[in-house]
Amino acid sequence: MEAIDENKGYQMPRHWLVYTPRSGLLSRLKIASPVGLADTVLKLEYDIEWSEKPLPESICTFIELQSLSLSNMKLTAREALIIGKLKNITSISFFDCNLSTEFCSNFPIKNRISDIYLYDTKVGTSNLSNLLNRIPGLTDLSIGKYNLTSEVIKNIQSLRLESLSLRHCSVDKEILQQIIKIKTLEYIDLSYNTLASRTFEMLATLPKLRHLDIRGTTFSPTELSDLSASKSLAEIWISSREMKSSDLDPLFKIRTLKHITAVLPTKEPHPKTHKDIKVDIIRYDYETE
């Protein structure tokens, strides 16, 4: 892997941990400059397909670890115990993992976790509710490719969520009605869902909503006018096969709006400009897909 000069802009994290499959040992990947002691590692990504071994208890020696990403694993009470020893963890991602009842029931209640990401993860409704309820400081929740139920949303209403992402989660009207009860939300991602009627009318009632992502969704473009009632929305990402340039016009009535990123068919003209709103247009030829 080649180091990237920080003077050129993007740079890989300095404190990064990788797994050495053959030796079974954890080792640091030095990117920008030599890293000091092992406990300065801040982020660990672990993939069972790459490592071919279960999560090693030796990660507990990295006392400064803040971010943990797990892939392709069946998580049991053993992994919950290991995570419980990582006192500085604030973010955990689960990719294509199996979260067992034992893992969710034994997940440490005393934790500093604020960010959870689950994508294509196998976990039952009751287990997911149990896990989320054991993370009282959760503010950012991302769930992707999961058959979400309104029960899960009901169980997290007591949390002070600021960010909620539900990509590919079959969000229906009942789930939306529960979402709008979370008045602390500032960011919502509903991309790649089929949105029910009155979706935008409901979202516009959220008092702190500033960022909305509805890319790849199916909705009635005429309902976009319902968002003009929002008193906080600052940024929106949007795309739909049926959308035309003129459908964006109602968004310019939102006084707080600062930025629109929209995907439009190649033949559609550029939408009208507004001095206070930046409009970025991405062209896509839906006819040839």
Side-chain angles (χ1 to χ4, degrees), residues 222-242:
T222 58
E223 293 193 32
L224 278 176
S225 58
D226 292 334
L227 281 175
S228 60
S230 175
K231 297 181 180 179
S232 58
L233 191 62
E235 187 169 21
I236 184 170
W237 298 267
I238 183 171
S239 68
S240 173
R241 293 179 63 97
E242 307 299 325

Side-chain angles (χ1 to χ4, degrees), residues 55 59-60 68 70 75-92 94 99-114 116 127 129-138:
L55 188 68
I59 70 169
C60 298
L68 180 63
L70 304 176
L75 302 174
T76 65
R78 174 184 176 276
E79 285 73 34
L81 179 62
I82 292 174
I83 292 174
K85 296 178 181 179
L86 301 171
K87 303 301 183 181
N88 290 302
I89 284 287
T90 60
S91 174
I92 301 184
F94 303 99
L99 276 58
S100 68
T101 299
E102 292 76 16
F103 175 81
C104 297
S105 298
N106 288 279
F107 195 86
I109 295 179
K110 293 183 178 181
N111 61 71
R112 300 175 59 187
I113 297 172
S114 60
I116 289 285
N127 284 344
S129 297
N130 188 13
L131 174 65
L132 296 178
N133 286 331
R134 298 174 74 87
I135 310 174
L138 191 65

Side-chain angles (χ1 to χ4, degrees), residues 210-213 233-237 256-261:
R210 291 181 51 79
H211 309 279
L212 177 63
D213 191 338
L233 191 62
E235 187 169 21
I236 184 170
W237 298 267
T256 54
L257 195 64
K258 299 297 181 184
H259 193 188
I260 299 174
T261 300

